[in-house]
Amino acid sequence: MPGRRRESPLKNPSRAYVALGLEGSANKLGAGVIKHAVDGSTEVLSNVRHTYITPPGEGFLPRDTAQHHREWALTVIKDAVAKANITMHDLDCICYTKGPGMGAPLQSVALVARTLSLLYEKPLVGVNHCVGHIEMGRQVTGAQNPVVLYVSGGNTQVIAYSRQCYRIFGETLDIAVGNCLDRFARVINLSNDPSPGYNIEQEAKKGKRLVLLPYTTKGMDVSLSGILTSIEAYTSDRRYRAQGEPDEESEDVIRPADLCFSLQETVFSMLVEITERAMAHIGSREVLIVGGVGCNERLQEMMGIMAQERGGSVFATDERFCIDNGIMIAQAGLLSYRMGYQDTSCKEHLFRTDEVHVAWRP
């Protein structure tokens, strides 16, 4: 029957299931333990994370990031297991990020996951990083059938679910929004602690002037590389005053805060536009924002205004769940495991969001 709600293929378990999730696709190393109870509820038992932070003006290289993950893996995992008040023998499966992400860090975490799997004779479950974000966002917020805006350092996608697949309606044609923000933070020498994107957000709150930047939506897609080039060019303008430089009170002066403000307003407006188009296309009144940039309060505010005008609502999580973490990998991995999926290879796989069979949803 048209409009009839399909029954979920994922049944309540006959016993409790517990999974360990390991995340390390970029500069965050995370380990989390999750529990699926008999009554169908989900409980976060632990969620531990350690971040590789580089000096101001520098990014993080794959080799150095992988070394960080190798050095901190045992500490982070032991902490997660201890906080969950379990032992490794209590686990039903070990889940890890299989991709997409940076090759060397992915390999380091995959090696740890495979080693633990062999040592404790536990099934191994590879998880798509993007799907991990979506499933944790759905679990935490209770969003039913939202349009998903996935924004992070490596990904920018507008996604909607249909027939056991997260389908991509629009995405970046070049660099991700988080990468755009991070790279500009390096240009103006902002700190990487706790993250460059967070410091861009704080700086933008002090901005008073909106400078002209390209507005490059192309259908359902966006292009961000040209915007980054344009905003960088303003730092060579004679009117620009870097942080700490004396400046006269003049309407012509351009400050770092003005550029951060302008960059956020322009890029976030583009993201709101393509998200609204996807909402109109599928008839949804819900928006779920996931990924590290999803923590940005200005993005949430702008998306909320749009959703309210459409009679809808916005769902987002705080930094515990929107920034890369192990618990989202545990959640998506345990859903897969309960549907009968197990890994046969630990080789990292750079697979897209729409290549995952979402077997646990109707």
Side-chain angles (χ1 to χ4, degrees):
M1 285 180 61
R4 183 178 178 180
R5 190 169 182 175
R6 294 188 295 273
E7 185 178 354
S8 173
L10 187 71
K11 309 301 180 185
N12 284 351
S14 57
R15 61 173 180 83
Y17 283 83
V18 180
L20 169 68
L22 303 177
E23 154 61 22
S25 60
N27 69 326
K28 276 84 175 174
L29 175 67
V33 179
I34 204 159
K35 177 182 178 181
H36 289 184
V38 176
D39 61 1
S41 64
T42 298
E43 182 181 359
V44 175
L45 301 182
S46 66
N47 188 20
V48 180
R49 180 170 55 217
H50 193 274
T51 304
Y52 173 53
I53 297 175
T54 56
E58 296 183 16
F60 48 91
L61 298 174
R63 182 185 61 185
D64 298 335
T65 308
Q67 182 178 345
H68 165 270
H69 292 358
R70 291 193 296 269
E71 290 175 352
W72 281 91
L74 288 181
T75 301
V76 170
I77 293 169
K78 285 180 178 178
D79 194 12
V81 171
K83 287 182 176 178
N85 197 27
I86 63 165
T87 70
M88 294 294 292
H89 299 286
D90 297 322
L91 297 172
D92 288 286
C93 61
I94 295 172
C95 315
Y96 73 100
T97 304
K98 197 169 187 177
M102 300 171 70
L106 281 173
Q107 288 178 342
S108 295
V109 176
L111 178 60
V112 172
R114 170 55 61 93
T115 302
L116 292 175
S117 172
L118 293 173
L119 278 174
Y120 295 97
E121 298 182 338
K122 300 296 180 181
L124 197 61
V125 181
V127 175
N128 178 284
H129 179 85
C130 316
V131 172
H133 273 296
I134 296 171
E135 290 304 333
M136 201 65 218
R138 289 180 60 238
Q139 176 60 42
V140 171
T141 64
Q144 296 301 308
N145 188 34
V147 169
V148 178
L149 175 64
Y150 173 34
V151 277
S152 69
N155 299 274
T156 299
Q157 296 176 341
V158 176
I159 302 161
Y161 174 81
S162 177
R163 299 185 180 183
Q164 298 194 315
C165 178
Y166 285 118
R167 303 181 187 274
I168 298 171
F169 277 66
E171 59 189 323
T172 178
L173 297 174
D174 36 57
I175 62 174
V177 60
N179 185 242
C180 178
L181 297 173
D182 291 355
R183 285 167 63 177
F184 184 63
R186 295 201 291 271
V187 169
I188 59 175
N189 211 37
L190 289 183
S191 172
N192 289 323
D193 188 11
S195 71
Y198 173 83
N199 293 323
I200 285 268
E201 179 183 2
Q202 303 315 307
E203 195 71 16
K205 293 176 182 178
K206 298 180 285 186
K208 299 177 181 178
R209 179 177 183 180
L210 184 69
V211 302
L212 184 64
L213 293 172
Y215 187 94
T216 46
T217 55
K218 301 185 178 184
M220 286 295 297
D221 299 323
V222 295
S223 175
L224 301 171
S225 58
I227 296 175
L228 178 61
T229 301
S230 296
I231 197 86
E232 286 180 0
Y234 277 104
T235 63
S236 301
D237 192 291
R238 61 178 179 79
R239 297 168 295 170
Y240 178 72
R241 300 293 182 271
Q243 199 76 32
E245 285 186 10
D247 60 67
E248 64 277 10
E249 287 297 325
S250 169
E251 292 183 0
D252 287 337
V253 170
I254 300 173
R255 301 170 181 85
D258 298 326
L259 297 182
C260 293
F261 169 72
S262 302
L263 182 60
Q264 280 198 167
E265 294 299 303
T266 303
V267 170
F268 292 170
S269 295
M270 293 160 52
L271 297 176
V272 170
E273 178 184 332
I274 62 174
T275 303
E276 183 175 16
R277 286 185 188 156
M279 291 176 70
H281 184 80
I282 70 170
S284 174
R285 292 187 176 183
E286 294 181 336
V287 179
L288 172 63
I289 308 176
V290 300
V293 183
C295 295
N296 190 294
E297 293 178 356
R298 179 56 180 155
L299 174 59
Q300 294 179 16
E301 179 185 18
M302 293 173 69
M303 196 67 71
I305 293 170
M306 179 275 289
Q308 188 176 26
E309 290 175 349
R310 298 183 62 85
S313 53
V314 171
F315 297 86
T317 63
D318 59 32
E319 60 89 23
R320 293 172 300 168
F321 303 112
C322 66
I323 296 174
D324 289 353
N325 59 85
I327 201 66
M328 71 182 195
I329 302 303
Q331 168 68 0
L334 191 51
L335 290 171
S336 294
Y337 176 73
R338 287 174 54 192
M339 294 304 298
Y341 175 79
Q342 291 186 33
D343 233 19
T344 56
S345 168
C346 217
K347 183 179 180 182
E348 91 278 358
H349 179 41
L350 303 179
F351 58 137
R352 285 166 54 86
T353 312
D354 51 6
E355 293 179 344
V356 178
H357 179 211
V358 188
W360 53 90
R361 291 192 64 179

